[in-house]
Amino acid sequence: MSVPVPVPVHVLVLGGTTEARRLAERLAGDRRVRVTTSLAGRVSAPRLPPGEVRIGGFGGPDGLAAWVREHGVDVLVDATHPFAATMSRNAAEAAAQAHVPLLALRRPGWVAQDGDRWHSAGSLAAAAELLPALGERVFLTTGRMGLAAFAGAALDDLWFLVRSVDAPGPPCPARTEVLLDRGPFTLEGEREIIRRHRIDVLVTKDSGGDATAPKLAAAREAGIPVVVVRRPPVPEGVPVARTPEEAMEWVVRRLHASG
């Protein structure tokens, strides 16, 4: 008498972050799991995680819910960037529609240290409003999306060094130099950027993690102010894991619960 082979639990990871890739690596090593990672496709030549990969949008929460049902997804993990608020809302709505459990994987935010001169902002537009009173040469590390917030005439006297993985499109600040680079970054490298470009104010999103944190230490050493854009909250009612290890434990508990 043949023994039935258990059907693997299908986990869909909404990815694009280091944590998403690390979770996919762990899931791919478990024979009880089939893992698919979805990437938005906004970055050229992304580093692909193990397991199945799909690239591109879903067409909103209805499209995501339909994909989840069509492909037999049992568990949904939102491991997108902490500032991907629209995708996180879509994931919450889609999980509710498709009746699948949802977990948000979010690395902890940064915490100010002694010597930091942080200024909190609730949005990119609010960050832009703070700049004229803080400096004239801005190191803008918020990525290529949302540069329009810094392109207003009120900031035409400021000079911006814009760092992003891919080249930004218009609108951009009037006086802009683009630095194409991808983390992780080193403290020595960030010190050199601040020194060479005579940076006197840094703008960053509170992305958390170690890959881009050296700029905060370099700014602290240089005594320059940092405008930190607060991250949006996780949708109400969605449980949160802070590390891929915590997320893996949550998925394993789902495996045991499903028998």
Side-chain angles (χ1 to χ4, degrees), residues 14-22 39 79-82 105 107:
L14 304 178
T17 60
T18 301
E19 290 75 19
R21 187 171 61 250
R22 286 170 52 196
L39 303 175
T80 56
H81 192 275
L105 173 54
R107 69 184 79 127

Side-chain angles (χ1 to χ4, degrees), residues 110 118-122 127 130 202-207 216 226-230:
W110 290 315
W118 286 12
H119 300 261
S120 180
L130 294 174
L202 166 70
V203 182
T204 181
K205 294 177 178 177
D206 181 16
S207 300
L216 301 175
V226 179
V227 179
V228 181
V229 181
R230 299 188 299 273

Side-chain angles (χ1 to χ4, degrees), residues 148-174:
F150 302 90
L155 302 182
D156 282 354
D157 291 337
L158 306 186
W159 179 88
F160 289 83
L161 178 65
V162 175
R163 182 166 67 191
S164 63
V165 175
D166 296 312
C172 291

Side-chain angles (χ1 to χ4, degrees), residues 148-222:
F150 302 90
L155 302 182
D156 282 354
D157 291 337
L158 306 186
W159 179 88
F160 289 83
L161 178 65
V162 175
R163 182 166 67 191
S164 63
V165 175
D166 296 312
C172 291
R175 302 170 62 204
T176 295
E177 180 175 331
V178 175
L179 174 61
L180 298 181
D181 204 356
R182 184 195 303 263
F185 302 106
T186 66
L187 177 57
E188 184 57 36
E190 303 294 58
R191 286 170 176 157
E192 175 60 17
I193 287 175
I194 290 175
R195 184 199 64 77
R196 176 162 33 99
H197 294 281
R198 295 178 287 115
I199 300 298
D200 57 14
V201 58
L202 166 70
V203 182
T204 181
K205 294 177 178 177
D206 181 16
S207 300
D210 297 329
T212 59
K215 62 189 172 188
L216 301 175
R220 185 186 313 121
E221 290 179 0

Side-chain angles (χ1 to χ4, degrees), residues 29-83:
D30 193 320
R31 290 181 294 178
R32 299 170 296 174
V33 176
R34 170 191 171 197
V35 57
T36 300
T37 299
S38 176
L39 303 175
R42 293 177 178 171
V43 176
S44 61
R47 180 181 173 188
L48 300 181
E52 301 172 41
V53 177
R54 70 171 301 280
I55 297 178
F58 292 96
D62 295 342
L64 176 54
W67 198 95
V68 165
R69 289 190 290 261
E70 179 182 351
H71 293 83
V73 172
D74 301 292
V75 175
L76 182 59
V77 179
D78 171 18
T80 56
H81 192 275
F83 282 82

Side-chain angles (χ1 to χ4, degrees), residues 93-128:
E93 293 181 30
Q97 289 183 32
H99 304 289
V100 297
L102 169 66
L103 175 73
L105 173 54
R106 292 288 185 274
R107 69 184 79 127
W110 290 315
V111 178
Q113 300 183 25
D114 290 342
D116 283 328
R117 298 172 58 196
W118 286 12
H119 300 261
S120 180
S123 66
L124 292 176

